Amino acid sequence: MILVPDLADIEKSTGSEAERRVARLLRDIEGDPDAVAFHSVKLRSHAYKQQAEADFVVLWKKVVIVIEVKGGGVRKFGGAWYSVDRRDDWHKLAGSPMEQARSAMHALRGILHEEGIGWFAHEAVVVTPDIEPLPHSVEWQPTHWLAKDAMSVERMTSSLDTIAGASWKPPAGRRLARIEDLRTRLFGEFTRMPVIDAQRGAVIEEQNRATASQARVLASLARNPRVMVFGGAGTGKSLVLAEAAKQEADQGRSVLVTFRSPALVRFFAPHVTGRDIDVVPFGDLPSTKAYDAVFVDEAQDLMTAEAMDTLDAVVAGGRAGGRWRMFLDMNNQAHVDGDFDPDVFELIAPESLSVDLDLNVRNTRAIVHMVQEYLGADVGDPGIVHGERVQWHTPDTEADLAAADSVARQMLADGVRSEDIWIISATSSAAPRELSSGCIVTSPRYAKGLEAEHIVVCDLPRTYDDVGTAAFYVSVTRARVSLHIVASKEDRRRLQQLLPQRSVTT
């Protein structure tokens, strides 16, 4: 069964050994290809505080099962419920564990029904892994309170089957929830996408709720062997890839994450640390090892016959029959680093399911609108990020690195940290280096797939052919907070010429 988040994250985030034990059991359960177990601790937002009491929400054979886990002892005395710790100290509970599970179940049902998902079967269950079964009570069904004797994969599987088999049947005339919609909505409710600082290679503690499109893609990746994920710059392709790779590794599969640009190692490595996941640039792939699941980021860079032959060798079962996921941007990035053969793409695409990421989660509205205006590139709906307008700077001298460094130094004087500023020379292909100011200067080739808080773009292309357009596209879509473009009057004139040219050709 798929765990969300994966077992490594659950064991890190919860202090309850009982929840860890239940998570391990759920992960090892098989028998339902659609099964997912969502662990809700530290994943709930304040708006759903009443629902945060649920320790697990399990989708099993089209039934939503909310599980409340109580470690240690549980006793009822004088009409009140108590938990009993290892020192035999009693702690009064606000209500019975079954009442907590039912409260969470009703809260979740209300949320999903408000979203119009339709009727679905739902059950509330208590798991007390440290004690013998409680005496039967009219307060709950004996099948819905699992104790010490149910703590094996076989017994837990049998219990889930029994609970699902005896669940409520749909009322006459009610519209039923589709299993695909239910899985996607649960992924959306419970998944948190971590924020990664690409420059420092660090996973930031802050986590954002998955967007509807990210949840839909994660649900699709879990069910289908071969998937192509399309999305413009800033739609969260790499984050979704990393989360999906962790889920694959959690299922016991050997996993490879690969890409053309070696710079992406620092993005992925900290996110998958501690898992059996190899993060290897495509050019360094071993010739003798095949993986159960292969993830290719920036796959538009590798859409050649030679690269696909390599992929065929590293995927267990081969490209046509194995398990792989390609994440690619069909806008303009294919001409920055690598090659894109449209004939190869037409050959590969029918081998897989295609899904889209359609919400920009990186760039501000102003950046998205600017990219759409000049390049006609689909970088997603600008519905999340709000921020500064794009800042244009026209120096008296050349619009080069020196002029960009001057803009960056003014930002430093205004209080921006040097490590949060990248200068991208749009016509360069050089590796990143640090300036005396502490800011990084890099090129589209090395910035592709990464991001920074503040971006200053200089050395704009003289010609907006495929290469020039791709370089400009990559450069201006790296910013999370602010984008500064250093452009001469001639640069501005060339950009203005893109507007009528694009209106004629699109």
Side-chain angles (χ1 to χ4, degrees):
M1 185 185 303
I2 295 171
L3 289 182
V4 179
D6 70 337
L7 183 61
D9 277 347
I10 292 175
E11 292 190 326
K12 182 172 62 176
S13 67
T14 181
S16 168
E17 178 56 31
E19 290 178 22
R20 295 191 188 102
R21 288 179 59 193
V22 172
R24 295 184 198 114
L25 286 179
L26 292 174
R27 183 197 60 177
D28 293 338
I29 287 175
E30 299 178 351
D32 178 7
D34 290 318
V36 191
F38 301 90
H39 184 252
S40 61
V41 171
K42 295 186 178 180
L43 297 180
R44 309 312 303 141
S45 63
H46 181 71
Y48 306 118
K49 209 163 190 178
Q50 59 178 331
Q51 186 190 344
E53 299 289 332
D55 296 314
F56 291 91
V57 176
V58 177
L59 178 61
W60 180 258
K61 297 188 175 178
K62 301 182 180 181
V63 179
V64 176
I65 302 172
V66 175
I67 298 177
E68 178 72 19
V69 179
K70 289 294 182 187
V74 177
R75 296 179 185 176
K76 185 179 182 182
F77 181 78
W81 284 85
Y82 298 85
S83 64
V84 185
D85 63 26
R86 68 185 63 182
R87 294 185 298 272
D88 204 33
D89 292 332
W90 290 35
H91 306 276
K92 189 174 182 179
L93 302 173
S96 77
M98 186 59 72
E99 288 173 351
Q100 291 180 316
R102 287 172 179 159
S103 175
M105 178 192 71
H106 291 308
L108 177 59
R109 183 187 64 177
I111 291 169
L112 296 181
H113 281 183
E114 286 177 6
E115 296 184 357
I117 196 170
W119 187 92
F120 57 91
H122 49 277
E123 300 290 336
V125 173
V126 173
V127 178
T128 48
D130 300 318
I131 64 174
E132 299 299 329
L134 272 66
H136 289 184
S137 170
V138 296
E139 297 181 46
W140 62 83
Q141 300 177 62
T143 54
H144 287 51
W145 193 307
L146 310 182
K148 190 175 183 179
D149 60 348
M151 293 299 103
S152 69
V153 172
E154 295 77 13
R155 286 295 305 274
M156 183 67 74
T157 304
S158 175
S159 297
L160 291 176
D161 283 340
T162 299
I163 293 164
S167 63
W168 291 93
K169 304 306 177 187
R174 292 290 297 275
R175 183 176 65 85
L176 304 184
R178 297 171 65 248
I179 186 65
E180 294 84 359
D181 294 339
L182 195 54
R183 293 178 84 254
T184 298
R185 293 302 178 95
L186 289 172
F187 268 99
E189 286 296 328
F190 286 88
T191 303
R192 291 295 182 271
M193 303 296 288
V195 176
I196 299 181
D197 185 333
Q199 181 173 343
R200 289 186 290 274
V203 179
I204 302 174
E205 288 300 319
E206 177 188 357
Q207 292 192 335
N208 298 321
R209 178 179 169 183
T211 67
S213 59
Q214 289 172 336
R216 183 179 65 253
V217 169
L218 284 168
S220 298
L221 291 172
R223 299 184 70 205
N224 297 280
R226 293 171 295 281
V227 184
M228 277 191 173
V229 181
F230 298 91
T235 53
K237 296 187 300 297
S238 298
L239 280 179
V240 172
L241 186 157
E243 289 302 301
K246 287 157 58 176
Q247 291 177 8
E248 293 287 324
D250 207 32
Q251 295 294 298
R253 299 187 180 101
S254 58
V255 178
L256 167 69
V257 176
T258 188
F259 33 78
R260 181 178 174 88
S261 173
L264 287 174
V265 169
R266 62 179 175 175
F267 183 96
F268 288 112
H271 196 193
V272 301
T273 184
R275 281 91 172 172
D276 186 19
I277 299 175
D278 288 348
V279 179
V280 185
F282 201 79
D284 298 333
L285 288 178
S287 58
T288 57
K289 184 173 182 179
Y291 296 83
D292 298 326
V294 175
F295 290 75
V296 184
D297 197 26
E298 304 290 353
Q300 73 278 349
D301 297 342
L302 299 164
M303 201 57 63
T304 66
E306 294 78 12
M308 290 302 105
D309 286 344
T310 300
L311 182 64
D312 188 61
V314 298
V315 177
R319 194 195 68 240
R323 192 173 182 87
W324 52 259
R325 290 88 172 78
M326 295 190 198
F327 291 70
L328 59 165
D329 181 355
M330 297 293 287
N331 285 302
N332 298 291
Q333 295 201 56
H335 302 283
V336 173
D337 184 28
D339 296 295
F340 181 89
D341 186 330
D343 293 333
V344 172
F345 173 76
E346 292 299 326
L347 178 67
I348 302 299
E351 298 177 349
S352 64
L353 173 75
S354 295
V355 292
D356 296 300
L357 284 166
D358 54 14
L359 186 64
N360 195 295
V361 295
R362 174 198 298 156
N363 305 133
T364 65
R365 286 177 175 269
I367 295 173
V368 171
H369 288 312
M370 188 271 291
V371 173
Q372 291 171 341
E373 180 182 14
Y374 283 107
L375 302 179
D378 182 5
V379 288
D381 175 16
I384 286 185
V385 186
H386 302 270
E388 302 176 13
R389 62 184 178 86
V390 177
Q391 302 286 326
W392 294 85
H393 304 269
T394 304
D396 294 332
T397 56
E398 293 294 320
D400 55 8
L401 177 58
D405 187 45
S406 177
V407 172
R409 289 179 182 275
Q410 182 58 54
M411 295 168 65
L412 293 173
D414 292 337
V416 178
R417 300 184 308 173
S418 59
E419 57 265 36
D420 292 334
I421 303 174
W422 283 4
I423 298 174
I424 301 180
S425 174
T427 51
S428 170
S429 60
R433 61 186 176 90
E434 186 174 325
L435 300 176
S436 60
S437 62
C439 301
I440 295 294
V441 59
T442 186
S443 63
R445 178 183 180 187
Y446 286 90
K448 187 155 64 72
L450 303 176
E451 60 187 36
E453 297 295 295
H454 307 275
I455 295 292
V456 183
V457 180
C458 63
D459 296 324
L460 299 189
R462 297 300 179 95
T463 304
Y464 285 92
D465 54 8
D466 288 345
V467 174
T469 300
F472 182 71
Y473 171 82
V474 169
S475 300
V476 299
T477 54
R478 302 304 99 195
R480 289 188 59 87
V481 176
S482 72
L483 171 64
H484 298 255
I485 301 177
V486 180
S488 67
K489 292 180 180 179
E490 186 63 21
D491 288 328
R492 296 293 295 268
R493 186 187 65 80
R494 282 190 286 263
L495 282 170
Q496 288 296 319
Q497 288 178 341
L498 290 177
L499 301 179
Q501 175 182 333
R502 187 172 63 79
S503 65
V504 170
T505 59
T506 57

